[in-house]
Amino acid sequence: MAESPLGQSTRDHEMAGSVRDGRSALSVTDRLREAILGGEIATGVRLNEVRLSQMMEVSRTPVRAALQALAGEGLLDYVPNRGFLVRTFPLSEIVDAYEIRAQLEGLATRFAAERGLSEQDRHIIEQALADGDALLAKGVFETGDMSRYRRINGDIHDTILGAAKNRMLGEMIRICHHVPVSSNRNIVAFEYRYVRRRHDDHHRIYEAILAREPHRAEALMREHIAGIKSSLVNSLRHQAPDTSEYRTSL
Amino acid sequence: MAESPLGQSTRDHEMAGSVRDGRSALSVTDRLREAILGGEIATGVRLNEVRLSQMMEVSRTPVRAALQALAGEGLLDYVPNRGFLVRTFPLSEIVDAYEIRAQLEGLATRFAAERGLSEQDRHIIEQALADGDALLAKGVFETGDMSRYRRINGDIHDTILGAAKNRMLGEMIRICHHVPVSSNRNIVAFEYRYVRRRHDDHHRIYEAILAREPHRAEALMREHIAGIKSSLVNSLRHQAPDTSEYRTSL
DNA sequence: TCAAGGAAAAATGTATACACTTTTCAAAAT
DNA sequence: ATTTTGAAAAGTGTATACATTTTTCCTTGA
């Protein structure tokens, strides 16, 4: 599924004006976003436009455009005459982000149940559910299964979101996913028994949507995400009682 | 897609080109935002960078920065190599925006009830409630009362939102308010009996927050906004059954 | 008459120069 | 030794030139 960050349709392009080494096929904005979300650039860091433009091998102009765009997506902060910083999220905001997601994705699910699923939507979700069933049938989680399930999970959520047919809602949910730990990139509690429960949630949600029960579908999705939040809070309680802010390594 | 010239007529004196005393100089971004939100620039219109820079009497560089930023706020769409358009909101999205607001402001109210109000917060809200009571005591709405109440309403909502202590939530709610009709700028149904009911909602919400009843406070706020949505839908049904998109007139 | 083609005009994308602000850091003053 | 200070360095803000793409519109051909 294509990325459509905040207010803009397909952000930029970059169609190699010259022979570029293969790595830079992505736009400056996309590369920067990846670097931030991937943790290559630590939170709180002040971004130097000159250095960035040298790294990316473009002038400052497209770099500034990218910074503006990413600030709009909520990934960066801007301070006049001092430039852009990678936004830091206090732990409280990370936890709250799950509440926001719960409300928003709950609403999206309600809309999907009201508006109905297309043939193709149903196909994608059923395939994902079946894949998940197969993955879980083994009874354990092996290497690579985690990323496999992440994709299954993404397909289901994205399809429901698409069926909600509301662009603004989609953009807001995407913003939630860009909050460091809130993103399913960094889901910690991917143990078998948790995944099993989540996957069962997906089945129930799908059934509620198919049955055209908006209220029930909404409640199930909210509960689904509340469960994820709960796992996170638990794992935070046991693992890292130290820092009050998310830190990226490197 | 007609390509109408933007600010065609009345843009006579916006800070005549001479010496700008540092204070009155709103940023290019702010001026553009005002123009869009105020309906001076119609939705769907493609923005011409050169023309804008001439209007604002700056070069294209700060204009582009402003466009990037506003796209980030969701007010503009961006199409590579074609520039920025004022985003259009289908009627369905306008109505949905109220649902989103209901969820989000409901959540903010819950947070406020959980986290509590500061002395100053309470003062502001109590003042606003008293002002509203006084305004309504007259039994009718006169000229100017509408904008007066709009301010009262804004104070209450803003204070609750502030007490929620969550930046992302605030940003998302702000985006909702930037959806054309969804904004309280353009609230249609400002008749006396509706305002009376809304104001009573405010009292109840405040009491629930003070009583530290998060769930009830949340429900009340959701219902409050659902009521506003309902008024809007009603007034739309009676007034303008024609267009599928909001048009700025004012 | 209308569609297709293509060159000119206009608009956006990028690079770069320079102005202005912030930051750094070493010398001077206490 | 510590603080102050101020000039150099570094960084951001803006203007502008040029490159590339899109749009316009007039010509040409069926």
Side-chain angles (χ1 to χ4, degrees), chain A residues 28-39:
Chain A
V28 174
T29 305
D30 290 336
R31 286 204 287 159
L32 248 178
R33 188 191 299 106
E34 285 306 312
I36 294 166
L37 257 34

Side-chain angles (χ1 to χ4, degrees), chain B residues 207-236:
Chain B
E207 286 161 19
I209 294 175
L210 272 193
R212 296 303 196 93
E213 300 181 283
H215 186 269
R216 189 168 145 250
E218 177 177 10
L220 284 168
M221 179 60 91
R222 274 214 301 258
E223 181 52 30
H224 175 61
I225 294 179
I228 299 175
K229 171 191 163 189
S230 173
S231 312
L232 172 75
V233 171
N234 262 339
S235 84
L236 285 178

Side-chain angles (χ1 to χ4, degrees), chain A residues 10-25:
Chain A
T10 40
R11 248 284 142 215
D12 48 278
H13 51 119
E14 160 147 336
M15 19 94 332
S18 59
V19 192
R20 284 273 149 101
D21 54 61
R23 196 166 299 203
S24 52

Side-chain angles (χ1 to χ4, degrees), chain A residues 176-228:
Chain A
C176 286
H177 284 272
H178 282 178
V179 172
V181 185
S182 169
S183 164
N184 61 0
R185 293 165 184 267
N186 319 39
I187 283 291
V188 199
F190 253 115
E191 293 172 45
Y192 180 79
R193 67 180 185 280
Y194 286 122
V195 177
R196 174 153 215 108
R197 183 178 286 181
R198 306 263 170 67
H199 193 61
D200 189 53
D201 287 348
H202 289 155
H203 274 286
R204 298 188 210 192
I205 292 166
Y206 180 57
E207 285 161 20
I209 295 174
L210 272 192
R212 296 302 196 93
E213 299 181 285
H215 186 270
R216 191 169 143 249
E218 178 178 10
L220 284 168
M221 180 59 92
R222 274 215 299 259
E223 182 50 33
H224 174 63
I225 295 178
I228 298 174

Side-chain angles (χ1 to χ4, degrees), chain A residues 6 9 77 99 110 167, chain B residues 72 77-78 96 99 110 167:
Chain A
L6 203 46
S9 44
D77 283 330
E99 292 286 348
R110 183 170 100 210
R167 186 176 146 192
Chain B
D77 282 331
Y78 172 70
D96 284 358
E99 293 286 349
R110 183 170 100 210
R167 187 176 146 194

Side-chain angles (χ1 to χ4, degrees), chain B residues 1-51:
Chain B
M1 194 67 73
E3 216 307 60
S4 72
L6 43 109
Q8 46 259 65
S9 53
T10 58
R11 38 167 291 287
D12 323 333
H13 48 276
E14 319 178 311
M15 161 205 291
S18 58
V19 272
R20 31 182 150 70
D21 61 280
R23 219 101 11 240
S24 74
L26 274 175
S27 76
V28 174
T29 306
D30 290 335
R31 288 205 286 160
L32 248 177
R33 188 193 298 108
E34 284 306 310
I36 293 166
L37 258 34
E40 291 166 49
I41 304 176
T43 63
V45 164
R46 181 173 167 186
L47 297 176
N48 182 310
E49 295 177 6
V50 177
R51 214 172 313 173

Side-chain angles (χ1 to χ4, degrees), chain A residues 3 26-48 52 55-56 63-78 83-89 175 177-183 185-186 246-250:
Chain A
E3 272 226 344
L26 279 173
S27 77
V28 174
T29 305
D30 290 336
R31 286 204 287 159
L32 248 178
R33 188 191 299 106
E34 285 306 312
I36 294 166
L37 257 34
E40 291 165 48
I41 305 177
T43 63
V45 164
R46 181 172 166 186
L47 297 176
N48 183 310
L52 280 177
M55 280 183 196
M56 306 258 183
V63 169
R64 277 181 72 87
L67 295 175
Q68 292 278 4
L70 294 176
E73 291 178 30
L75 252 60
L76 303 178
D77 283 330
Y78 171 70
F84 297 84
L85 326 182
V86 179
R87 179 162 168 183
T88 64
F89 291 88
I175 289 175
H177 284 272
H178 282 178
V179 172
V181 185
S182 169
S183 164
R185 293 165 184 267
N186 319 39
Y246 176 69
R247 286 182 94 354
T248 55
S249 58
L250 199 134

